[in-house]
Amino acid sequence: MTLEILKTKEELRQLIDAYASLGDEKKIAEQMSVFTPDVIYQVYMNDFLAANVSGRDNLEKEFNGHASQVKTYFTLNGQHTVTINGDAANGVSFSQIKMIRESEGKDILTDYSVKYEDQYVYQNEKWLIKERTGYFIIVESRVVTN
């Protein structure tokens, strides 16, 4: 493995970590900087296509709408494997996402186990996510007791 490949893998890991961190902080406008302008973003809940958004502007609206309903996000990124081919790459990553929403005066914690399949491109001297498909494999909700 060359130093260049190691550097690229680290940059791609930083990209998915930035996506998660900015989302957790609800910095949606900044989070959009990790995507290409023509991004395609899809979410599957089991086998059901729950979201299919094209374009960074549309994605920002979608994320802002979602974030307005969430009190707290907390994301842990796990494994991240990539295949690099010049200025393009494919990756698979796994995340544990926790969200707290309020419902009927109670805080509800929803815990998501997610597999992301990504396509990345190197543009303007940085890596960006061109396509992201999230597979929400396990979803569990419960009332938070403090």
Side-chain angles (χ1 to χ4, degrees), residues 69-83:
Q69 300 173 23
V70 176
K71 289 174 72 173
T72 305
Y73 289 103
F74 185 84
T75 304
L76 293 172
N77 284 333
Q79 310 93 295
H80 182 228
T81 57
V82 295
T83 304

Side-chain angles (χ1 to χ4, degrees), residues 18 28 38 50-52 66 68 70 72-73 78 86 88 92 100 113 132:
I28 306 303
D38 62 344
N52 187 9
H66 190 270
S68 71
V70 176
T72 305
Y73 289 103
V92 175
I100 295 180
S113 298
R132 172 160 264 206

Side-chain angles (χ1 to χ4, degrees), residues 2-145:
T2 68
L3 186 57
E4 186 64 30
I5 289 174
L6 288 172
K7 179 180 175 256
T8 298
K9 285 185 174 193
E10 177 61 23
E11 289 171 355
L12 291 169
R13 177 59 192 224
Q14 288 176 5
L15 181 68
I16 67 158
D17 287 346
Y19 167 85
S21 296
L22 292 167
D24 284 355
E25 296 170 15
K26 295 187 179 183
K27 294 181 177 177
I28 306 303
E30 291 175 47
Q31 187 183 38
M32 292 302 109
S33 70
V34 306
F35 296 107
T36 61
D38 62 344
V39 63
I40 296 172
Y41 186 91
Q42 297 180 319
V43 171
Y44 285 90
M45 302 293 256
N46 296 315
D47 292 329
F48 173 73
L49 180 62
N52 187 9
V53 182
S54 297
R56 193 164 46 200
D57 292 339
N58 292 329
L59 188 59
E60 185 172 0
K61 288 176 193 167
E62 183 82 17
F63 279 19
N64 276 320
H66 190 270
S68 71
Q69 300 173 23
V70 176
K71 289 174 72 173
T72 305
Y73 289 103
F74 185 84
T75 304
L76 293 172
N77 284 333
Q79 310 93 295
H80 182 228
T81 57
V82 295
T83 304
I84 302 160
N85 187 10
D87 287 347
N90 294 317
V92 175
S93 61
F94 294 86
S95 294
Q96 196 69 35
I97 305 169
K98 297 175 184 296
M99 295 179 198
I100 295 180
R101 296 179 185 89
E102 188 176 317
S103 177
E104 299 177 6
K106 296 179 182 177
D107 284 343
I108 307 298
L109 171 68
T110 307
D111 204 343
Y112 300 93
S113 298
V114 184
K115 173 186 174 185
Y116 289 110
E117 293 182 357
D118 296 328
Q119 291 181 21
Y120 311 107
V121 293
Y122 192 73
Q123 293 179 345
N124 301 319
E125 300 186 30
K126 65 181 180 177
W127 285 97
L128 300 169
I129 300 170
K130 182 168 180 59
E131 292 186 25
R132 172 160 264 206
T133 303
Y135 296 93
F136 286 62
I137 299 166
I138 299 171
V139 179
E140 178 187 13
S141 294
R142 62 190 175 276
V143 175
V144 176
T145 56

